[in-house]
Amino acid sequence: VDETIRLGLVSPMSGPNARYGAFSLHGAELAVKEINDAGGIDGRKIEIFSADSQGTPVEGVSATRRLIDQDKVNYIIGDVSSSVTLAMQPVAEDAGVLLLNAASSNPKITYGAGVGGYKWTFRNYPTDENRALIVAKYAAEQRGFTKFAVLSVDSDYGRSAITFTKKYLPDFKGEIVSEDYYKEGEVDFRSVLAKIRDNGAQAIIMYGLADTTPIIARQMLELGLAGKVTLIGNGEFNTEKTIKSAPKVLEGAVEAAAWLPAFDSPESKAFVEKFTAAYNEAPNNHAYVHWDTVHLLAQAIKEAGSPDQAKVRDALSKIKYKSAVGEVTFDDHNQARLPMILLQIEDGKPSIKGAYAADIQYPAN
Amino acid sequence: MSLTEVSQSQQRRDLRLPLGVLLLLAALCAPFVASTYVVHALIIALIFMLPAHGLNLLVGYTGLLSLAQAAFFGIGAYASGLLAVTYGTPFYVNVAAAGLAAGAIALPLGIPALRLRSTSFVMCTLGFVIIGQAIAKNWISLTRGDMGLSSIPKPHFALGPLSFTVSGTTAFYYLALTVGILATLAVWMIVRSPAGRNMIAIRENETLAESVGIPTWRYKLIVFMLSAVFAGVGGSLYAHYLTVVSPLTFQMYYSTTMLIIVLGGGAGTISGVVFGSLLFVGLTEALRVTPELRMIAYGLCLLVLVFWFRKGFAPVINRLWDSIGSAK
Amino acid sequence: MTGLPILEISNLTKSYGAVKAVDDVSIHVERGEIAGLIGPNGSGKSTFFDCSTGLAKPDSGKVRLDGQDITGWTLNRIAREGRMLRSFQKTVVFKSLDVEENLIIAGQMFSFPWLFSTFGIGKLSRSRVSGLRERAQDLIRMAGLWDVRKQPAGNLSGGQQKLIQFASMLMPEPKLILLDEPMAGINPKIIERVVETILYANKSLGVSFLIIEHNIDVVTSICRRVIVLDQGRKLAEGLPQEIINDQRVREAYLGG
Amino acid sequence: MADSNLSIKSLRAGYGSLDILNGVDLDVPAGQFVALMGPNGAGKSTLLKTLYGMTTIKDGSIDWRGKNIAGYKSRAILGEGISFVPQGRCNFPVMTVDENLQMAAYTLRDDKVKADRDYVYDLFPILKTRRSTLAGNMSGGEQQLLEVAMAVLQRPKVLLVDEPSVGLSPAAIGIVFDELLRLHAAGQTILLVEQNTKKAMEVAERAVILRLGRVTWDGLPGEISHDELGELFLTGKMRGETEAVH
Amino acid sequence: MFSTILEQIINGIVTGSVYAIVAVGMTMIFGVLRAINFAHGEYYMLGTFGAWFAIDYLGLSYEASIVVGVLSTIVIAYVVGKFVMQRMVGAPPESGVLATLGIALVLQNTVILVFGGGYKFFSGGYIEPVSILGFSLAEQRVIILIVCLIVFIGLELMVTYTRMGKSMRAVSQNVECCEVVGIDVPQVVLRTFILGAALAALSGVLTAPVNVSVYGGMGELITFKTLPIIIMGGLGNVRGTFFAAMILGIAESLVATYVGLQFRDTVGFATLILMLMWRPHGLFSTQARF
Ligand SMILES: Nc1ncnc2c1ncn2[C@@H]1O[C@H](COP(=O)(O)OP(=O)(O)OP(=O)(O)O)[C@@H](O)[C@H]1O
Ligand SMILES: Nc1ncnc2c1ncn2[C@@H]1O[C@H](COP(=O)(O)OP(=O)(O)OP(=O)(O)O)[C@@H](O)[C@H]1O
Ligand SMILES: CC(C)C[C@H](N)C(=O)O
Ligand SMILES: [Mg+2]
Ligand SMILES: [Mg+2]
């Protein structure tokens, strides 16, 4: 009998989001290696099967099917992009394969999971709602901002984060003065930044892509926004590379992330070290969440006492998993109760201001 | 002379008919022999075959190179997605509505676009896809923007007391196969008729076609709409199969895939489109090695196609088919 | 025959920028007539055709076909509803289709006049198509293209393509055919056949012709009446013999 | 002068795998004016195109001044002093007449070019009046004149002309043929393909009749009457009809 | 208000200049081949990668990296031109679409395969802001503007007066006739292609300092930006391309400011469609008779 545990990973290995795919795979592979080196789960080794979603739903579904039908995987982790995950859900459901999401933040995914419908979907990642709330709260209460300009990526992630920002901002007397979304790969932000310069916004709410942040920061510098307008939101503000691109602009930036390399816990530090040793580059958030999710799955299998999917599912819903950022449990929508980490750039270094979890208000069906 | 011709063709038909039946049987048996994954790939191939058929009428027969197919595909997908999600209309209503919506929208788009020639027309059609995506993203009250439409129900048929839901992969395969065969037959009937010949005339030389009395403008418009109908139906099936629709359905990548199916299969041939959709969807699946190598291989395939199979694979298939027919 | 001319064009004018290609020209073709249109190069003959058949839009002027005002009609409508066909000076054929298909296409809009009837399959439409095919084959024999009839028309020699164009005009039974230099590049023996065919179509089928031609022998032998254009204006009109003896025509056109 | 001549031996050529010329033998002494005639589809244009390197040559040789130029690229052949006026439209439609004439002398870079152009304008005054019209907007006949003029400007040693009279008015045909005669008088070798046999026989020194890709008659124009010529076209009939038997 | 608009127009002109330099190569290649080069943006990407490589791996200065970027692109363009583009002469437009899409896939993914899919950080260039007419602008943008003007004046002169320019126009109109008058068509195609690719690369290298990030997929985007431009400019028309690029740059800038950044990418095609309704043959084209 085949004793290995077959784990599928769906991620964007090609296309504009390929970078996320690479980090995800590396993170997951590192975890698998750690587990296998430690003797596996009750003696069973994990084997990982990677499939490319190209960041598009149809390819994501194809990839999922192939993992299920050809590679006969028992578990799937994926995808990064919410649109793809949403499309994968029914496929996993039909096949009765456990789908663990590690990086998509669109709330809809767990609105429709657990008691919401899809019994086989779990998410080990905080939602946009949570993120939007704590950023808005911090910006208003700690920094005293009231006028905000939106400049986010034009995707379900960027757009839904703003949707929730709008939901909570009135609670903090905040006001949005302009709203713009950029396409992946956009490089020219001068027009919008000039508008923001003139409309009196104190902060730019940016739920964006890591690679765009330096461009925007540079152009803010060019337009003389450094020190006048602050970046808040999410978009790898905290990495050395980003800060180096325009230190003056990023000073004071506020970010909420599921994880960041500077997070101060022994597990986290150890992960950063191992990852850097293995791949010669510092991990990012996506590497971490995939690494973490594999470990979470391993613990669930261990607690279930067998790789049987139904048992593992039950184990997951009852699990108390100690992650690098705190204890993880799942609610009845199979959504992990996870903290978001809030940080601010001070003196060119990220400084952590706290970790906040928030209960999700599920829409009444 | 005419006598020998007749007997020859009869001899041929005798051999090709059983083979055709065999192929059909193979298609019918596929879910029982092939893995679910292969069946899934076949479903995607069958779905993409619909817009490709439409595109073939446009590119292969009428000579209008268009990249708009993804736009109509997207319109079809959204039309049936919205109907299904908001009004819960039955599947066949959605499919019909998707086709009609795509066809109807093609009319106002086609009227200005078809006044353009060659490259301008191509770019204009590409514009439809890009603008379509922008609308899908930004008209949030209708389309829910990037969040997309999810939980589109599986096709459900209800005829009086009988009701049936197409839920599994196998069932959906038969549904797609049926639609695919019907569409292929429809295209076959169109291109064999005098209308098909008129379309070819327009492709060959529009002014000359005009001068022998072919209302080229009306033909082009109708074929444009027809191709949109095919794409719309394809989009509808796609939505019901994947159960989600997002603005990414409006993608230049889909338009080029459809174009590659048609040109690579053999523009102006039906067998080419059928074969092309199997090959080029199959190929992308088969090439799933490492993503970059796969794309490089795909690109090289395109170059091979251009240099060695300028007419696509259809001539090769037809020669094969003929040799089967004339073999004793 | 009624006295009404089959084609009557009055005061047609067309200019391109500063060039007055056609300048206030009035011409008519009588029912059952073969008329010739000659003139030096650039005198506006082809432009005149273009404007009469809807390919170009005249600046002013009226075109009446069989008593009906067809000014502003499109090329295809004039062909289909007006039953007036034209050939082009620059040879055009459906390049990748064979000779037979070329001719069938030329004929079929008349057998299948309505857009949707053209989707018809079934017996009636099949018999119509085979009727067309027979007719096409007769014309192919006439033009001496029998052996190349299955070749793509684009691969034929210049003269052969010209012949396809000519044969296409006779596929349907139009009322009137405008030919733009049908004999150019055709070998003298075949010219005889083309002439015979024109005369036959004219006599037995009652088709009227207006022919632009530089082969003056042909013009004088088949045309009942010849019209001469020069620099966009009508220079002369009359019997062929009168025309070739006209001093102005000799100077402008025949050279000497 | 006798050393420089064009000599074609058992030439087999065509398009792709299709042979149109089935063994053409033709010797053209320097300075001769040859009229090439034959039914439509006989292969006349194919022969000229082959001489100009635009078809696939299967067999045989084309000797030009002791060199076998079979298989040369068109440009190399032009460099050898052979020019070609193809059948059908061959100009640059969106360039003016003047620019077209400039392009014609593309390979020549001396100061005679300008003088030649003035000469051509004098020869065909209609081109002069149209010098800044786009070539593609001119009438068929005007374009034909332009193309002949373009060939004249190339100052070739051998001129291959394919049906220059097509679309020309009788007066213009007169001018074109007079120009060919003048070039001939100046020592140029001319290979003229014509369907206007009457005119061609008047000007040429020698008549060659091609049928089914072979030379079937070769002699002095005076040796054959028009009726005989027509008969020759027909007895051979057209390419199609002889083969239609089987 | 007025000064904001003026500032946006200046922004638009800078963006337009970047587009213009890329688009003009594309339009010239279209001129000689009658094929839309869907791979054109890839040469922009290659140039940028070449320069980035020169700076990050070879430790060269930005100026030297411009040379490296452009030269390495020329080498690649030579190979592509020799083996693919020359064979496209006289091919139907569909072949052009397929072949150039194929090349785009090959080039883009080879680069990703070699350098990875992630974004690279371009560190060279003159990014200090200067103040012009009271508006703050990176020096690099001023350089782009000046280079754009030089390129266009040069090309305009070349196309109208030089043999190369005339033969390019000739090839675009009638290939057979080029043979007849002795123009070396394959050579003209190759040279035009290399020139176009080199210009794209130059644009890429000049823009890299302000766009900061360098990644394999960047070419595709620029291809899509330039497609509407070359149509609006009247395919094959150098001067038209310049004006079309400026119009688009300014329109994008204004839309991004007053309508929303998310509509920016739609501007090109929307403007194109509107313009085509009004002038089906482009803004600056000449049309010959049937
Ligand atoms: N491009 C081509 N491809 C294939 N076959 C061709 C091509 N061009 C011509 N042919 C064939 O070659 C034969 C001879 O053509 P060619 O043009 O040489 O005739 P021609 O003698 O010049 O006739 P014409 O007097 O009508 O111009 C034609 O019958 C045609 O079938
Ligand atoms: N689109 C156009 N733009 C500019 N001038 C044009 C255009 N079309 C035609 N012309 C001019 O109009 C005049 C008449 O041309 P047309 O073709 O009618 O002459 P034609 O009598 O048919 O001559 P040919 O006997 O040479 O065919 C010519 O001088 C031509 O240059
Ligand atoms: C690329 C990431 C920023 C994606 C984001 N987490 C999402 O849900 O789509
Ligand atoms: Mg004319
Ligand atoms: Mg010929």
Side-chain angles (χ1 to χ4, degrees):
Chain A
V1 202
D2 187 7
E3 286 292 286
T4 56
I5 290 166
R6 303 168 79 86
L7 169 63
L9 176 74
V10 177
S11 58
M13 298 304 298
S14 61
N17 289 321
R19 166 190 151 90
Y20 296 125
F23 272 118
S24 308
L25 181 60
H26 286 168
E29 278 176 347
L30 184 65
V32 167
K33 193 169 169 299
E34 286 168 4
I35 293 165
N36 288 348
D37 286 353
I41 308 162
D42 296 332
R44 292 191 189 84
K45 300 257 153 111
I46 303 181
E47 191 181 344
I48 202 160
F49 297 84
S50 164
D52 181 12
S53 69
Q54 293 180 26
T56 67
V58 63
E59 293 296 328
V61 167
S62 284
T64 312
R65 299 247 182 207
R66 192 169 62 96
L67 289 175
I68 295 171
D69 298 329
Q70 289 202 321
D71 300 328
K72 309 268 180 246
V73 301
N74 312 109
Y75 311 96
I76 292 176
I77 297 180
D79 182 272
V80 172
S81 167
S82 300
S83 330
V84 181
T85 309
L86 283 166
M88 288 164 62
Q89 277 180 297
V91 179
E93 192 71 13
D94 278 352
V97 167
L98 193 64
L99 174 65
L100 255 169
N101 181 273
S104 297
S105 42
N106 193 305
K108 265 180 128 176
I109 293 167
T110 40
Y111 284 177
V115 293
Y118 295 123
K119 303 282 179 240
W120 292 95
T121 306
F122 284 75
R123 169 159 60 187
N124 180 33
Y125 195 72
T127 74
D128 292 327
E129 181 161 10
N130 188 355
R131 171 150 43 206
L133 171 61
I134 64 171
V135 169
K137 190 171 155 79
Y138 183 86
E141 291 179 350
Q142 305 298 313
R143 302 286 296 270
F145 296 147
T146 52
K147 291 175 115 185
F148 299 91
V150 167
L151 179 53
S152 284
V153 65
D154 196 0
S155 74
D156 49 1
Y157 146 68
R159 293 234 188 202
S160 77
I162 296 303
T163 310
F164 291 109
T165 304
K166 283 186 188 158
K167 177 172 163 191
Y168 293 114
L169 220 43
D171 300 349
F172 309 110
K173 313 246 174 328
E175 171 199 7
I176 287 177
V177 288
S178 68
E179 189 172 345
D180 291 276
Y181 298 92
Y182 66 83
K183 293 268 178 338
E184 281 165 16
E186 175 69 67
V187 288
D188 190 347
F189 301 91
R190 289 168 48 85
S191 318
V192 172
L193 292 174
K195 177 172 72 179
I196 291 172
R197 180 193 61 202
D198 297 344
N199 69 20
Q202 296 156 306
I204 296 176
I205 308 180
M206 188 178 112
Y207 291 98
L209 301 178
D211 308 298
T212 319
T213 313
I215 309 178
I216 294 179
R218 277 246 183 126
Q219 294 182 2
M220 285 171 74
L221 197 66
E222 205 180 312
L223 286 168
L225 293 183
K228 297 192 182 121
V229 181
T230 310
L231 281 176
I232 63 172
N234 173 271
E236 292 195 9
F237 301 166
N238 62 70
T239 62
E240 211 177 308
K241 205 172 96 180
T242 313
I243 297 173
K244 199 182 74 187
S245 71
K248 273 191 271 174
V249 173
L250 281 151
E251 190 60 33
V254 175
E255 177 165 35
W259 178 84
L260 72 162
F263 187 79
D264 199 13
S265 80
E267 296 90 340
S268 175
K269 289 251 138 68
F271 166 70
V272 174
E273 245 167 57
K274 271 198 221 157
F275 190 95
T276 316
Y279 302 107
N280 275 325
E281 71 181 319
N284 78 349
N285 164 40
H286 290 95
Y288 166 77
V289 292
H290 282 82
W291 172 81
D292 182 57
T293 304
V294 172
H295 279 296
L296 166 73
L297 179 65
Q299 184 179 325
I301 296 174
K302 208 177 182 109
E303 284 177 9
S306 105
D308 179 76
Q309 289 153 47
K311 289 199 183 122
V312 175
R313 183 179 64 177
D314 295 340
L316 258 183
S317 46
K318 284 188 285 262
I319 206 163
K320 282 196 164 60
Y321 166 73
K322 194 173 170 327
S323 83
V325 293
E327 193 184 70
V328 176
T329 55
F330 287 89
D331 66 14
D332 59 356
H333 276 80
N334 297 351
Q335 167 68 46
R337 294 191 186 84
L338 265 177
M340 266 288 178
I341 294 151
L342 197 84
L343 62 97
Q344 179 170 323
I345 312 292
E346 286 168 0
D347 299 327
K349 292 248 158 19
S351 133
I352 292 173
K353 297 289 166 196
Y356 305 90
D359 261 339
I360 294 170
Q361 303 157 11
Y362 289 101
N365 270 9
Chain B
M1 174 185 160
S2 59
L3 250 173
T4 51
E5 219 172 60
V6 169
S7 66
Q8 242 176 25
S9 70
Q10 266 176 359
Q11 200 178 41
R12 279 181 190 175
R13 203 176 298 147
D14 284 347
L15 263 156
R16 282 185 238 184
L17 198 67
L19 196 83
V21 172
L22 218 70
L23 282 177
L24 196 70
L25 273 178
L28 286 173
C29 295
F32 301 104
V33 284
S35 77
T36 330
Y37 179 66
V38 172
V39 177
H40 158 74
L42 287 175
I43 293 175
I44 299 278
L46 284 167
I47 291 177
F48 271 76
M49 191 173 86
L50 298 173
H53 267 319
L55 188 63
N56 189 30
L57 288 178
L58 205 56
V59 179
Y61 288 94
T62 319
L64 294 165
L65 196 63
S66 162
L67 288 172
Q69 264 338 53
F72 298 120
F73 190 70
I75 290 170
Y78 266 100
S80 50
L82 283 172
L83 280 177
V85 172
T86 30
Y87 300 105
T89 46
F91 171 70
Y92 41 84
V93 173
N94 299 343
V95 173
L100 289 178
I105 293 175
L107 180 69
L109 295 183
I111 288 173
L114 289 166
R115 281 173 39 212
L116 308 172
R117 299 235 165 187
S118 59
T119 315
S120 302
F121 177 74
V122 179
M123 290 304 134
C124 190
T125 55
L126 178 55
F128 293 158
V129 180
I130 292 185
I131 292 171
Q133 192 182 59
I135 293 175
K137 281 198 169 190
N138 291 297
W139 191 354
I140 293 166
S141 58
L142 179 74
T143 63
R144 305 195 202 166
D146 258 300
M147 316 262 289
L149 301 170
S150 50
S151 14
I152 297 167
K154 294 268 159 153
H156 179 82
F157 293 92
L159 260 178
L162 285 170
S163 98
F164 174 66
T165 305
V166 182
S167 57
T169 310
T170 308
F172 205 98
Y173 171 77
Y174 286 118
L175 176 66
L177 188 66
T178 314
V179 178
I181 289 176
L182 287 178
T184 310
L185 280 178
V187 173
W188 185 73
M189 266 167 59
I190 292 169
V191 301
R192 266 182 33 112
S193 73
R197 211 180 277 121
N198 284 340
M199 282 152 58
I200 295 176
I202 295 171
R203 171 188 80 194
E204 295 286 309
N205 191 321
E206 201 175 325
T207 313
L208 182 58
E210 179 105 349
S211 83
V212 298
I214 299 172
T216 54
W217 166 252
R218 254 180 285 166
Y219 260 92
K220 290 197 295 184
L221 197 57
I222 287 179
V223 176
F224 190 68
M225 288 168 67
L226 208 59
S227 78
V229 170
F230 276 94
V233 171
S236 170
L237 283 186
Y238 177 83
H240 282 280
Y241 180 59
L242 288 189
T243 72
V244 281
V245 183
S246 78
L248 286 180
T249 324
F250 291 91
Q251 243 187 73
M252 148 85 175
Y253 174 71
Y254 287 174
S255 280
T256 45
T257 308
M258 292 160 195
L259 194 64
I260 288 168
I261 290 176
V262 172
L263 297 179
T269 61
I270 294 172
S271 57
V273 170
V274 175
F275 183 71
S277 35
L278 292 176
L279 179 74
F280 291 102
V281 173
L283 192 72
T284 39
E285 300 293 349
L287 289 174
R288 271 177 193 282
V289 243
T290 70
E292 288 82 25
L293 277 177
R294 163 175 142 212
M295 284 299 163
I296 293 172
Y298 203 61
L300 291 175
C301 283
L302 290 185
L303 292 177
V304 168
L305 202 70
V306 170
F307 290 128
W308 286 290
F309 300 92
R310 212 163 247 194
K311 298 230 152 95
F313 291 110
V316 184
I317 310 168
N318 289 345
R319 224 174 301 140
L320 217 75
W321 189 240
D322 284 347
S323 70
I324 293 164
S326 54
K328 169 53 210 131
Chain C
M1 280 186 197
T2 62
L4 197 70
I6 182 117
L7 179 69
E8 189 179 12
I9 296 162
S10 35
N11 309 99
L12 195 81
T13 300
K14 174 82 184 173
S15 34
Y16 293 102
V19 183
K20 277 211 163 169
V22 178
D23 188 3
D24 195 25
V25 174
S26 303
I27 282 179
H28 72 276
V29 179
E30 263 153 42
R31 199 175 297 277
E33 185 188 34
I34 302 179
L37 182 61
I38 62 172
N41 296 120
S43 56
K45 305 179 295 296
S46 301
T47 309
F48 181 80
F49 267 23
D50 291 351
C51 292
S52 332
T53 55
L55 186 63
K57 207 169 151 308
D59 298 340
S60 65
K62 253 203 165 42
V63 186
R64 298 175 76 81
L65 178 68
D66 220 358
Q68 193 175 17
D69 187 352
I70 59 163
T71 329
W73 283 25
T74 56
L75 182 57
N76 76 73
R77 183 163 174 215
I78 291 177
R80 205 174 59 251
E81 291 177 35
R83 299 194 159 238
M84 169 163 98
L85 293 180
R86 66 160 298 174
S87 73
F88 295 94
Q89 179 173 13
K90 182 181 166 194
T91 325
V92 278
V93 291
F94 299 121
K95 284 204 166 101
S96 66
L97 299 180
D98 66 26
V99 181
E100 208 171 285
E101 286 287 299
N102 259 276
L103 295 193
I104 290 177
I105 287 176
Q108 75 177 7
M109 269 327 279
F110 292 81
S111 310
F112 300 94
W114 305 112
L115 192 63
F116 287 101
S117 74
T118 61
F119 285 102
I121 38 171
K123 206 161 174 189
L124 181 64
S125 117
R126 253 196 315 253
S127 79
R128 277 175 178 168
V129 170
S130 68
L132 283 170
R133 180 157 284 132
E134 262 167 42
R135 194 182 176 82
Q137 291 180 347
D138 288 346
L139 285 164
I140 288 172
R141 284 200 196 88
M142 177 281 297
L145 297 171
W146 183 259
D147 198 52
V148 289
R149 76 185 191 286
K150 289 289 174 201
Q151 282 197 24
N155 284 356
L156 298 187
S157 78
Q160 290 172 323
Q161 295 190 18
K162 195 101 208 176
L163 286 166
I164 295 177
Q165 264 212 323
F166 172 70
S168 302
M169 298 293 102
L170 293 172
M171 273 304 292
E173 281 168 26
K175 291 181 196 158
L176 174 64
I177 299 179
L178 309 186
L179 294 172
D180 200 342
E181 303 197 20
M183 320 288 173
I186 304 291
N187 96 61
K189 270 291 159 190
I190 297 290
I191 289 187
E192 288 172 18
R193 286 201 202 163
V194 170
V195 165
E196 277 167 30
T197 314
I198 292 178
L199 291 173
Y200 168 80
N202 179 249
K203 289 223 177 60
S204 318
L205 309 174
V207 184
S208 314
F209 286 89
L210 177 61
I211 304 177
I212 297 180
E213 186 49 61
H214 287 303
N215 185 332
I216 211 70
D217 296 341
V218 169
V219 173
T220 48
S221 69
I222 60 172
C223 297
R224 211 172 71 187
R225 194 163 50 89
V226 176
I227 302 140
V228 189
L229 290 188
D230 183 33
Q231 303 192 3
R233 305 192 119 258
K234 187 149 94 178
L235 183 71
E237 178 174 352
L239 295 174
Q241 281 316 311
E242 292 168 17
I243 291 296
I244 54 171
N245 292 323
D246 187 313
Q247 192 49 38
R248 291 170 306 169
V249 178
R250 296 192 76 89
E251 267 167 30
Y253 181 60
L254 297 168
Chain D
M1 268 288 221
D3 60 326
S4 64
N5 81 9
L6 182 67
S7 151
I8 302 161
K9 289 205 185 64
S10 56
L11 188 63
R12 238 167 26 85
Y15 306 94
S17 58
L18 179 69
D19 279 358
I20 303 298
L21 303 178
N22 307 301
V24 172
D25 289 291
L26 192 65
D27 249 312
V28 185
Q32 198 174 49
F33 191 153
V34 182
L36 211 58
M37 290 168 291
N40 295 116
K44 307 178 295 294
S45 303
T46 308
L47 177 57
L48 292 199
K49 281 197 237 167
T50 307
L51 292 178
Y52 200 67
M54 295 169 94
T55 61
T56 331
I57 298 179
K58 308 286 172 51
D59 203 9
S61 65
I62 306 168
D63 282 326
W64 162 241
R65 296 178 146 188
K67 234 192 280 183
N68 184 2
I69 58 165
Y72 273 38
K73 289 236 170 64
S74 304
R75 251 165 33 84
I77 294 171
L78 182 72
E80 294 287 336
I82 301 178
S83 294
F84 178 40
V85 184
Q87 182 177 17
R89 288 285 75 88
C90 184
N91 54 43
F92 300 112
V94 239
M95 286 189 182
T96 62
V97 169
D98 206 51
E99 283 172 317
N100 266 278
L101 294 176
Q102 286 174 29
M103 291 314 292
Y106 184 79
T107 49
L108 303 172
R109 309 190 196 201
D110 51 45
D111 14 280
K112 256 192 95 230
V113 171
K114 179 94 185 38
D116 281 356
R117 199 153 65 232
D118 291 341
Y119 168 76
V120 162
Y121 278 139
D122 287 342
L123 196 64
F124 306 119
I126 187 135
L127 292 185
K128 194 167 190 168
T129 62
R130 294 257 179 279
R131 61 190 300 164
S132 48
T133 310
L134 296 183
N137 281 348
M138 295 202 300
S139 83
E142 290 165 338
Q143 293 187 43
Q144 187 67 44
L145 285 180
L146 172 66
E147 284 153 28
V148 174
M150 285 168 74
V152 171
L153 286 180
Q154 294 180 346
R155 291 185 231 140
K157 300 195 181 69
V158 177
L159 181 60
L160 313 172
V161 244
D162 202 344
E163 307 204 18
S165 75
V166 162
L168 293 186
S169 71
I173 293 181
I175 301 175
V176 167
F177 277 58
D178 285 349
E179 177 60 14
L180 290 181
L181 282 172
R182 188 194 67 83
L183 293 172
H184 174 228
Q188 261 185 31
T189 310
I190 299 176
L191 235 66
L192 166 74
V193 168
E194 255 307 335
Q195 289 293 3
N196 189 341
T197 47
K198 204 162 93 186
K199 205 74 195 173
M201 303 286 249
E202 272 173 41
V203 293
E205 289 174 285
R206 175 180 169 193
V208 173
I209 294 176
L210 212 63
R211 235 187 47 218
L212 291 171
R214 281 202 187 82
V215 175
T216 53
W217 195 90
D218 189 347
L220 300 181
E223 289 171 358
I224 188 166
S225 74
H226 280 289
D227 287 345
E228 282 170 322
L229 190 78
E231 213 40 47
L232 259 178
F233 280 9
L234 269 195
T235 43
K237 292 201 199 120
M238 304 245 216
R239 196 177 139 67
E241 287 168 321
T242 37
E243 285 170 17
V245 182
H246 21 240
Chain E
M1 179 66 195
F2 178 71
S3 99
T4 323
I5 293 187
L6 194 64
E7 180 180 14
Q8 295 309 344
I9 289 176
I10 293 175
N11 276 341
I13 290 174
V14 176
T15 318
S17 303
V18 175
Y19 296 163
I21 305 176
V22 184
V24 75
M26 198 166 182
T27 208
M28 289 192 303
I29 294 169
F30 181 90
V32 293
L33 282 176
R34 302 274 113 193
I36 289 281
N37 184 11
F38 279 103
H40 201 68
E42 306 308 330
Y43 303 100
Y44 174 93
M45 180 271 293
L46 285 175
T48 321
F49 260 89
W52 165 78
F53 185 82
I55 293 174
D56 268 31
Y57 285 69
L58 310 177
L60 298 179
S61 69
Y62 176 62
E63 292 74 14
S65 82
I66 299 181
V67 178
V68 173
V70 174
L71 279 185
S72 50
T73 308
I74 287 179
V75 171
I76 293 167
Y78 178 81
V79 175
V80 174
K82 254 307 200 241
F83 291 100
V84 182
M85 300 320 264
Q86 282 193 347
R87 300 173 67 172
M88 303 310 316
V89 176
E94 303 89 73
S95 305
V97 174
L98 288 190
T100 54
L101 277 176
I103 293 169
L105 283 176
V106 172
L107 291 179
Q108 181 178 336
N109 287 287
T110 310
V111 168
I112 296 177
L113 198 66
V114 175
F115 294 108
Y119 287 46
K120 277 75 193 161
F121 191 84
F122 194 94
S123 48
Y126 304 90
I127 49 168
E128 285 309 309
V130 292
S131 184
I132 291 180
L133 301 173
F135 304 118
S136 164
L137 215 61
E139 287 162 351
Q140 191 71 27
R141 293 187 200 271
V142 181
I143 298 177
I144 293 173
L145 258 172
I146 294 168
V147 170
C148 174
L149 282 178
I150 295 172
V151 163
F152 271 86
I153 293 171
L155 287 178
E156 186 69 34
L157 293 177
M158 188 198 84
V159 172
T160 10
Y161 297 109
T162 64
R163 277 167 70 79
M164 168 78 182
K166 280 186 187 155
S167 48
M168 275 167 54
R169 284 168 61 206
V171 172
S172 74
Q173 294 174 28
N174 190 335
V175 172
E176 194 194 21
C177 193
C178 286
E179 301 273 327
V180 167
V181 302
I183 295 169
D184 189 344
V185 177
Q187 193 200 51
V188 172
V189 167
L190 186 63
R191 286 188 183 172
T192 313
F193 180 69
I194 291 179
L195 177 64
L199 285 175
L202 178 68
S203 179
V205 185
L206 290 180
T207 325
V210 283
N211 284 358
V212 192
S213 59
V214 178
Y215 59 101
M218 65 195 287
E220 211 172 302
L221 277 146
I222 206 87
T223 304
F224 279 96
K225 296 270 183 179
T226 43
L227 286 176
I229 294 177
I230 65 169
I231 309 281
M232 279 195 270
L235 286 157
N237 186 332
V238 170
R239 199 179 312 176
T241 305
F242 179 80
F243 290 112
M246 293 305 155
I247 291 173
L248 185 63
I250 294 169
E252 276 196 356
S253 192
L254 294 176
V255 166
T257 320
Y258 296 107
V259 185
L261 187 57
Q262 60 271 38
F263 296 102
R264 181 192 202 115
D265 285 353
T266 326
V267 175
F269 280 97
T271 322
L272 174 71
I273 291 173
L274 290 178
M275 188 227 53
L276 288 174
M277 311 287 97
W278 168 53
R279 292 191 67 154
H281 297 298
L283 281 180
F284 303 93
S285 68
T286 31
Q287 206 53 32
R289 195 176 171 185
F290 170 64

